[in-house]
Amino acid sequence: MEEIQINLPGGEETTFPKGTAVGEIIESLGKTGGTVGAKVNGELVDFWYEVNENSTVEPVKAGTEEGLGLIRHTAAHVMAEAVQEIFPEAKVTIGPVIENGFYYDFDYSRGFTPEDLEKIEAKMKEIVSQKKPLTRKKVSRDEAISTFSDEGEEYKVEIVNDLPSDEQITIYEQGEWHDLCRGPHAPSTGDVKSFKLLSIAGAYWRGDEKKPMLQRIYGTAFWNNKDLKKYLERLEEAKKRDHRKVGKELDLFSIQDEVGAGLVLWHPKGSRVRRVIEDFWREQHDRAGYELLYTPHIANLDLWKTSGHVDFYRENMYPSMELENSEYQIKPMNCPFHIKIYQTRIRSYRDLPLRWAEIGTVYRYERSGVLHGLLRVRGFSQDDAHIFCRPDQITEEVLGVLDLTILFLKTFGFDDFEIYLSTRPEKFVGDVEVWDKATLALKDALDSKGLKYDMDEGGGAFYGPKIDLKIKDVLGRAWQCSTVQVDFNLPERFDMSYVGDDNSRHRPIMIHRAIFGSMERFFGVLVEHYGGAFPTWLSPVQVRIATIGNEQVEYGEEVYRRLKEVKIRVEKDFRNEKLGFKVREAQVEKIPYLLVIGNNEVAEQTVSPRRLGGKNMESMKVNEFLEHIQEELDPEKWREVETQ
Ligand SMILES: [Zn+2]
Ligand SMILES: [Zn+2]
């Protein structure tokens, strides 16, 4: 029998017959203590997994982050068994592990209710306490089809029929119940110790709106109650911060069916925040040597043919429209316009690099099912820029982009990033040599900044390598925002050139980059990061003035004018209401400062500031107040003063 080599953590090496199950390998090495599965060449597998090639095998223990996938997948099976026990007509479809949990989709005549979830959870607890061992059974295609069609599980039959002909079909059994499944699973239902069903949703079979609507149940599972509790608290906190909820409460933006799905209306208060962001953006781009451009929202379809978008990007584009015997296309990207500006004159090697930026609004078709508030939309404004440079300038330009990106993200309160460097995929355009040079240039830039990053080998776009940056918010969630992409394709397609010092034509390098990614998305992330309580410099309303009674209105107006003069975003609340009521309202609206004015303040020509979430401050002159908040108003200084 053919032997394969197994490498163990710590450098141990041994051999086993090809096809040995991971469970046997672990057992024969005496490493079973607390082990629930393994990682084979980095992939999580269960004890039944058969190793067919030289591999690295790392045992995975109960209680570890890595092993969570095993109990979550098993929890999905336990849930499906519970559902079928309580609702015997419910048919099973698929039940994968997802980030932070699992779900299972059932075909059932009605949606499940919160009361149903309670019953299902109770039944799941029974199944868990029975500690039923899971076993895996290999079956032939015919066996699988006849088993599931006898049970009336037509979705499973459909799945079996769609499996590639050489695929080994497996069924996981737990007592009487079983499921068609590829694994991996924990060894016993008893391993699912701490779980919770979270929510219900409708989902089309195979995501296709022409297929039956299924009933989805989401849940999660952890190794212990402490971790589960922590997660549920975080979920609660995320719900409170949901930008759709906060956006409504603070009157920041809306998305309305009558306007169109995925199309964002920025209300006055949201627009104020956006203006502050854009002002900062423009100022910093000026400093970093960018020129700012404006380009149209539509262009002749021919432009998008030259760029390749018609051939390679059409499913993401809105349909084109006809006008005077030509076809026009609403733009999905800004790039071709910048290229056309480049080509209006002959460029010399001395002109490069050119850094051109635009907050350009683009439109892309996203399926209605994936739209999500501001985070996934159909119309959005990219903080786009294109750098046209010589090949020898790539590293320096990427360094500049990284500096600017980090400055921006820190300014907006993000200190944690995940960075990925994506390299040449299987299908690509351009020379391997140029690719390697550009990839090295990106690597050099990251290394010289001392930034930690992960390699995504083969994950680059077909047109060039790229760096993606995900920001981590206050709840530790990662959001894809910034990107730097080298492009060998568009300069070629548009036949761009510059005159080198040898007097001949050369192809420039094009770098696409965005820092926020999209204004909409970044704003959504900001709202969730701060839960709507923006730092003072970003806040749509920075100060509100509240009078105690009618006698202070005249002085209140004067204070209002003085703050307005120095461009504070100020509001007045001179209504005939109790102070406590006014204070509570300002808190709900998350206004950083409330200036209270009573008779004392009028007499002494002062104000009494109250900081949102902080203490009441001593009364002070308006000038003193302005001095007090000066640094909070400065995007480059506010983080040094972190108030409260
Ligand atoms: Zn499964
Ligand atoms: Zn671009």
Side-chain angles (χ1 to χ4, degrees), residues 32-96:
T32 40
T35 305
V36 280
K39 271 186 160 179
V40 173
N41 300 325
E43 193 194 337
L44 182 66
V45 301
D46 59 29
F47 288 153
W48 298 277
Y49 180 87
E50 288 154 3
V51 188
N52 285 312
E53 52 182 26
N54 295 347
S55 302
T56 308
V57 174
E58 305 161 71
V60 168
K61 286 195 185 301
T64 58
E65 182 80 27
E66 299 154 307
L68 280 173
L70 299 169
I71 53 168
R72 286 177 179 165
H73 199 159
T74 304
H77 280 213
V78 170
M79 176 171 81
E81 179 181 354
V83 166
Q84 291 201 308
E85 196 140 314
I86 305 170
F87 310 98
E89 322 87 89
K91 288 182 182 150
V92 285
T93 66
I94 55 158

Coordinates of all heavy atoms in Angstrom, one line a residue, residues 32-96:
T32 N -4.9 12.1 21.4 CA -6.4 12.2 21.4 C -6.9 13.2 22.5 O -7.9 13.7 22.4 CB -7.0 10.9 21.6 OG1 -6.3 10.2 22.5 CG2 -7.1 10.1 20.3
G33 N -6.1 13.4 23.6 CA -6.6 14.1 24.7 C -7.2 15.4 24.3 O -6.5 16.4 23.9
G34 N -8.5 15.5 24.5 CA -9.2 16.8 24.2 C -9.3 17.2 22.8 O -9.7 18.3 22.4
T35 N -8.8 16.3 21.9 CA -8.8 16.6 20.4 C -10.2 16.4 19.8 O -10.9 15.4 20.1 CB -7.8 15.8 19.7 OG1 -6.5 16.0 20.3 CG2 -7.7 16.2 18.2
V36 N -10.7 17.3 19.0 CA -12.0 17.2 18.4 C -11.9 17.1 16.9 O -12.9 16.7 16.2 CB -12.9 18.3 18.7 CG1 -13.6 18.1 20.1 CG2 -12.2 19.7 18.6
G37 N -10.8 17.4 16.3 CA -10.6 17.4 14.9 C -9.2 17.8 14.6 O -8.3 17.6 15.4
A38 N -8.9 18.2 13.3 CA -7.5 18.5 13.0 C -7.5 19.6 11.9 O -8.6 19.8 11.2 CB -6.8 17.3 12.5
K39 N -6.4 20.1 11.7 CA -6.2 20.9 10.5 C -5.2 20.2 9.6 O -4.1 19.8 10.0 CB -5.6 22.3 10.9 CG -6.6 23.3 11.2 CD -5.9 24.6 11.4 CE -6.9 25.8 11.3 NZ -6.3 27.1 11.6
V40 N -5.7 19.9 8.4 CA -4.8 19.3 7.4 C -4.4 20.3 6.4 O -5.3 20.9 5.7 CB -5.5 18.0 6.7 CG1 -4.6 17.5 5.6 CG2 -5.7 17.0 7.8
N41 N -3.1 20.6 6.3 CA -2.6 21.6 5.4 C -3.4 22.9 5.6 O -3.8 23.6 4.7 CB -2.6 21.2 4.0 CG -1.8 20.0 3.7 OD1 -0.8 19.8 4.3 ND2 -2.3 19.1 2.8
G42 N -3.7 23.2 6.9 CA -4.4 24.4 7.2 C -5.9 24.4 7.2 O -6.5 25.4 7.6
E43 N -6.4 23.3 6.6 CA -7.9 23.3 6.5 C -8.5 22.5 7.6 O -8.1 21.4 7.9 CB -8.3 22.7 5.1 CG -9.7 22.9 4.8 CD -10.1 22.0 3.6 OE1 -9.2 21.6 2.8 OE2 -11.3 21.7 3.5
L44 N -9.6 23.0 8.2 CA -10.2 22.3 9.3 C -11.0 21.1 8.8 O -11.8 21.1 7.9 CB -11.2 23.2 10.0 CG -12.0 22.7 11.2 CD1 -11.0 22.4 12.4 CD2 -13.1 23.6 11.7
V45 N -10.7 19.9 9.4 CA -11.3 18.7 9.0 C -11.7 17.9 10.3 O -11.3 18.2 11.4 CB -10.4 17.8 8.2 CG1 -10.0 18.5 6.9 CG2 -9.2 17.3 9.0
D46 N -12.5 16.8 10.1 CA -12.9 16.0 11.3 C -12.2 14.7 11.2 O -11.4 14.4 10.3 CB -14.4 15.9 11.4 CG -15.0 15.2 10.1 OD1 -14.4 14.4 9.5 OD2 -16.2 15.5 9.9
F47 N -12.4 13.9 12.3 CA -11.7 12.6 12.4 C -11.9 11.7 11.2 O -11.1 10.8 11.0 CB -12.2 11.9 13.7 CG -11.7 12.5 14.9 CD1 -12.4 12.4 16.1 CD2 -10.5 13.3 14.9 CE1 -12.0 13.0 17.3 CE2 -10.1 13.9 16.1 CZ -10.8 13.7 17.3
W48 N -13.0 11.8 10.5 CA -13.2 10.9 9.4 C -12.5 11.3 8.1 O -12.4 10.5 7.1 CB -14.7 10.9 9.1 CG -15.5 10.4 10.2 CD1 -15.8 9.1 10.6 CD2 -16.2 11.2 11.2 NE1 -16.5 9.0 11.7 CE2 -16.8 10.3 12.1 CE3 -16.3 12.6 11.4 CZ2 -17.5 10.8 13.2 CZ3 -17.0 13.0 12.5 CH2 -17.6 12.1 13.4
Y49 N -11.9 12.4 8.1 CA -11.3 12.9 6.8 C -10.1 12.0 6.5 O -9.3 11.7 7.3 CB -10.8 14.3 7.1 CG -10.1 14.9 5.9 CD1 -10.8 15.6 4.9 CD2 -8.7 14.9 5.8 CE1 -10.1 16.2 3.8 CE2 -8.0 15.4 4.7 CZ -8.7 16.1 3.7 OH -8.1 16.6 2.6
E50 N -10.1 11.6 5.2 CA -9.0 10.7 4.8 C -7.9 11.5 4.1 O -8.1 12.2 3.2 CB -9.6 9.6 3.8 CG -10.4 8.6 4.6 CD -11.5 8.0 3.7 OE1 -11.5 8.3 2.5 OE2 -12.3 7.2 4.2
V51 N -6.7 11.2 4.6 CA -5.5 11.9 4.1 C -4.9 11.2 2.9 O -4.5 10.0 3.0 CB -4.4 12.1 5.2 CG1 -3.3 13.1 4.7 CG2 -5.1 12.7 6.4
N52 N -4.9 11.8 1.7 CA -4.5 11.1 0.5 C -3.2 11.6 -0.1 O -2.8 11.1 -1.1 CB -5.6 11.2 -0.5 CG -6.7 10.3 -0.2 OD1 -6.5 9.1 0.1 ND2 -7.9 10.8 -0.2
E53 N -2.6 12.6 0.6 CA -1.3 13.0 0.0 C -0.4 13.5 1.2 O -0.9 13.6 2.3 CB -1.5 14.2 -0.9 CG -2.4 15.3 -0.3 CD -2.7 16.5 -1.3 OE1 -2.7 16.3 -2.5 OE2 -2.9 17.6 -0.7
N54 N 0.9 13.7 0.9 CA 1.8 14.2 2.0 C 1.2 15.4 2.6 O 0.8 16.4 1.9 CB 3.1 14.5 1.4 CG 3.8 13.3 0.9 OD1 3.4 12.1 1.1 ND2 4.9 13.5 0.1
S55 N 1.0 15.5 3.9 CA 0.3 16.6 4.5 C 0.8 16.9 5.9 O 1.5 16.1 6.5 CB -1.2 16.2 4.7 OG -1.8 15.8 3.5
T56 N 0.5 18.2 6.3 CA 0.8 18.6 7.6 C -0.5 18.4 8.4 O -1.6 18.8 8.0 CB 1.1 20.1 7.7 OG1 2.2 20.3 6.7 CG2 1.5 20.5 9.1
V57 N -0.4 17.7 9.5 CA -1.6 17.4 10.4 C -1.4 18.0 11.7 O -0.5 17.7 12.5 CB -1.9 15.9 10.5 CG1 -3.0 15.6 11.5 CG2 -2.2 15.3 9.1
E58 N -2.3 19.0 12.1 CA -2.2 19.6 13.4 C -3.5 19.2 14.2 O -4.6 19.6 13.7 CB -2.2 21.1 13.4 CG -1.1 21.7 12.5 CD -1.4 23.2 12.2 OE1 -1.4 24.0 13.1 OE2 -1.7 23.4 11.0
P59 N -3.4 18.5 15.3 CA -4.6 18.2 16.1 C -5.3 19.6 16.5 O -4.6 20.5 16.9 CB -4.1 17.5 17.3 CG -2.8 17.0 16.9 CD -2.2 18.0 15.9
V60 N -6.6 19.6 16.5 CA -7.4 20.7 17.0 C -8.1 20.3 18.3 O -8.8 19.4 18.3 CB -8.4 21.2 15.9 CG1 -9.3 22.3 16.5 CG2 -7.6 21.9 14.7
K61 N -7.9 21.1 19.3 CA -8.5 20.7 20.6 C -9.8 21.4 20.9 O -10.1 22.5 20.3 CB -7.5 21.1 21.7 CG -6.3 20.2 21.8 CD -5.6 20.4 23.1 CE -4.3 19.6 23.2 NZ -4.5 18.1 23.1
A62 N -10.6 20.8 21.7 CA -11.8 21.4 22.2 C -11.5 22.7 22.9 O -10.5 22.8 23.5 CB -12.6 20.5 23.1
G63 N -12.4 23.7 22.7 CA -12.1 25.0 23.4 C -11.3 26.0 22.6 O -11.2 27.1 23.0
T64 N -10.8 25.6 21.4 CA -10.0 26.5 20.6 C -10.9 27.2 19.6 O -11.9 26.7 19.1 CB -8.9 25.8 19.9 OG1 -9.5 24.7 19.1 CG2 -7.9 25.1 20.9
E65 N -10.4 28.4 19.3 CA -11.1 29.2 18.2 C -11.1 28.4 16.9 O -12.1 28.4 16.2 CB -10.2 30.4 18.0 CG -10.6 31.4 17.0 CD -11.7 32.3 17.5 OE1 -11.8 32.6 18.7 OE2 -12.5 32.8 16.7
E66 N -10.0 27.7 16.6 CA -10.0 26.9 15.3 C -11.0 25.8 15.3 O -11.5 25.5 14.2 CB -8.6 26.2 15.2 CG -7.4 27.1 15.2 CD -6.2 26.4 15.7 OE1 -6.2 25.9 16.8 OE2 -5.2 26.5 14.9
G67 N -11.4 25.3 16.4 CA -12.3 24.2 16.5 C -13.8 24.6 16.4 O -14.7 23.7 16.3
L68 N -14.0 25.9 16.5 CA -15.4 26.4 16.5 C -16.2 25.9 15.3 O -17.4 25.6 15.5 CB -15.4 27.9 16.6 CG -15.2 28.5 18.0 CD1 -15.1 30.0 17.9 CD2 -16.3 28.1 19.0
G69 N -15.6 25.8 14.2 CA -16.3 25.4 13.0 C -17.0 24.0 13.2 O -18.0 23.7 12.6
L70 N -16.3 23.1 13.9 CA -16.8 21.8 14.1 C -18.1 21.8 14.9 O -19.0 21.1 14.6 CB -15.7 20.9 14.8 CG -14.4 20.7 14.1 CD1 -13.3 20.1 15.0 CD2 -14.6 19.9 12.8
I71 N -18.1 22.5 16.0 CA -19.3 22.5 16.9 C -20.4 23.3 16.2 O -21.6 23.0 16.4 CB -19.0 23.0 18.3 CG1 -18.4 24.3 18.4 CG2 -18.3 21.9 19.1 CD1 -18.4 24.9 19.8
R72 N -20.0 24.3 15.4 CA -21.1 25.1 14.8 C -21.8 24.3 13.7 O -23.0 24.4 13.6 CB -20.5 26.4 14.2 CG -20.2 27.4 15.4 CD -19.6 28.6 14.9 NE -19.4 29.5 16.1 CZ -18.6 30.5 16.1 NH1 -17.9 30.9 15.0 NH2 -18.4 31.2 17.2
H73 N -21.0 23.6 13.0 CA -21.6 22.7 11.9 C -22.5 21.6 12.6 O -23.5 21.3 12.1 CB -20.5 22.1 11.1 CG -21.0 21.6 9.7 ND1 -20.2 21.4 8.7 CD2 -22.2 21.3 9.3 CE1 -20.9 21.0 7.7 NE2 -22.1 20.9 8.0
T74 N -22.0 21.1 13.7 CA -22.7 20.1 14.4 C -24.0 20.7 15.0 O -25.1 20.0 14.9 CB -21.8 19.4 15.4 OG1 -20.7 18.9 14.7 CG2 -22.5 18.2 16.1
A75 N -23.9 21.9 15.5 CA -25.1 22.6 16.0 C -26.1 22.7 14.9 O -27.3 22.6 15.2 CB -24.7 23.9 16.6
A76 N -25.7 23.0 13.7 CA -26.6 23.1 12.6 C -27.4 21.8 12.4 O -28.6 21.8 12.1 CB -25.9 23.5 11.3
H77 N -26.7 20.7 12.5 CA -27.3 19.4 12.3 C -28.3 19.1 13.5 O -29.4 18.6 13.3 CB -26.3 18.3 12.3 CG -25.6 18.1 10.9 ND1 -25.2 16.9 10.5 CD2 -25.4 19.0 10.0 CE1 -24.7 17.0 9.2 NE2 -24.8 18.3 8.9
V78 N -27.8 19.5 14.7 CA -28.7 19.3 15.9 C -30.0 20.1 15.7 O -31.1 19.6 16.0 CB -27.9 19.7 17.2 CG1 -28.9 19.7 18.4 CG2 -26.8 18.7 17.4
M79 N -29.8 21.3 15.2 CA -31.0 22.2 15.0 C -31.9 21.6 13.9 O -33.1 21.5 14.1 CB -30.6 23.6 14.5 CG -31.7 24.5 14.2 SD -31.3 26.2 13.9 CE -30.7 26.1 12.3
A80 N -31.3 21.0 12.9 CA -32.2 20.5 11.8 C -32.9 19.2 12.3 O -34.1 19.1 12.1 CB -31.3 20.1 10.6
E81 N -32.2 18.4 13.2 CA -32.9 17.3 13.8 C -34.1 17.8 14.6 O -35.2 17.3 14.6 CB -32.0 16.4 14.6 CG -32.7 15.2 15.2 CD -31.9 14.3 16.1 OE1 -30.6 14.5 16.2 OE2 -32.4 13.4 16.7
A82 N -33.8 18.8 15.5 CA -34.9 19.3 16.4 C -36.0 19.8 15.5 O -37.2 19.6 15.9 CB -34.3 20.4 17.2
V83 N -35.8 20.6 14.5 CA -36.8 21.1 13.6 C -37.7 20.0 13.1 O -38.9 20.1 13.1 CB -36.3 22.0 12.5 CG1 -37.3 22.4 11.5 CG2 -35.7 23.3 13.1
Q84 N -37.0 19.0 12.5 CA -37.8 17.9 11.9 C -38.6 17.1 12.9 O -39.6 16.5 12.6 CB -36.9 17.0 11.1 CG -36.4 17.8 9.9 CD -35.9 16.9 8.7 OE1 -35.1 16.0 9.0 NE2 -36.4 17.1 7.5
E85 N -38.1 17.1 14.1 CA -38.8 16.3 15.2 C -40.1 17.1 15.5 O -41.2 16.5 15.7 CB -37.9 16.2 16.4 CG -38.5 15.1 17.3 CD -37.4 14.3 17.9 OE1 -36.5 13.8 17.2 OE2 -37.4 14.1 19.1
I86 N -40.0 18.4 15.7 CA -41.1 19.3 16.0 C -42.1 19.5 14.8 O -43.3 19.5 15.0 CB -40.7 20.6 16.7 CG1 -39.7 20.4 17.8 CG2 -41.9 21.4 17.1 CD1 -39.0 21.6 18.3
F87 N -41.5 19.7 13.7 CA -42.2 20.0 12.5 C -41.9 19.0 11.4 O -41.1 19.2 10.5 CB -41.9 21.4 11.9 CG -42.0 22.5 13.0 CD1 -40.8 23.0 13.6 CD2 -43.2 23.1 13.3 CE1 -40.9 24.0 14.5 CE2 -43.2 24.1 14.3 CZ -42.1 24.5 14.9
P88 N -42.5 17.8 11.5 CA -42.1 16.7 10.6 C -42.2 17.0 9.1 O -41.5 16.4 8.3 CB -43.0 15.5 11.0 CG -43.6 15.9 12.4 CD -43.6 17.4 12.4
E89 N -43.1 18.0 8.8 CA -43.2 18.3 7.3 C -42.1 19.1 6.8 O -41.9 19.3 5.6 CB -44.5 19.0 7.0 CG -45.8 18.5 7.7 CD -45.9 19.3 9.0 OE1 -46.5 20.4 9.0 OE2 -45.4 18.8 10.1
A90 N -41.3 19.7 7.7 CA -40.2 20.6 7.3 C -39.2 19.8 6.5 O -38.8 18.7 7.0 CB -39.6 21.3 8.5
K91 N -38.7 20.3 5.4 CA -37.7 19.6 4.6 C -36.4 20.3 4.7 O -36.3 21.5 4.8 CB -38.1 19.6 3.1 CG -39.3 18.7 2.9 CD -39.7 18.6 1.5 CE -40.9 17.7 1.3 NZ -41.8 18.1 0.2
V92 N -35.3 19.5 4.8 CA -34.0 20.1 5.0 C -33.4 20.5 3.6 O -33.6 19.8 2.6 CB -33.0 19.1 5.7 CG1 -33.4 19.1 7.2 CG2 -33.1 17.7 5.1
T93 N -32.5 21.5 3.6 CA -31.8 21.9 2.4 C -30.3 22.0 2.7 O -29.6 21.0 2.7 CB -32.4 23.2 1.8 OG1 -32.1 24.3 2.7 CG2 -33.9 23.1 1.6
I94 N -29.9 23.2 3.0 CA -28.4 23.3 3.4 C -28.3 24.0 4.7 O -29.1 24.8 5.1 CB -27.6 24.1 2.3 CG1 -28.3 25.4 2.0 CG2 -27.5 23.3 1.0 CD1 -27.3 26.4 1.4
G95 N -27.2 23.8 5.4 CA -26.9 24.4 6.7 C -25.4 24.6 6.9 O -24.8 23.9 7.7
P96 N -24.9 25.7 6.4 CA -23.4 25.9 6.5 C -23.0 26.7 7.7 O -23.9 27.3 8.4 CB -23.1 26.7 5.2 CG -24.4 27.5 5.0 CD -25.5 26.6 5.5

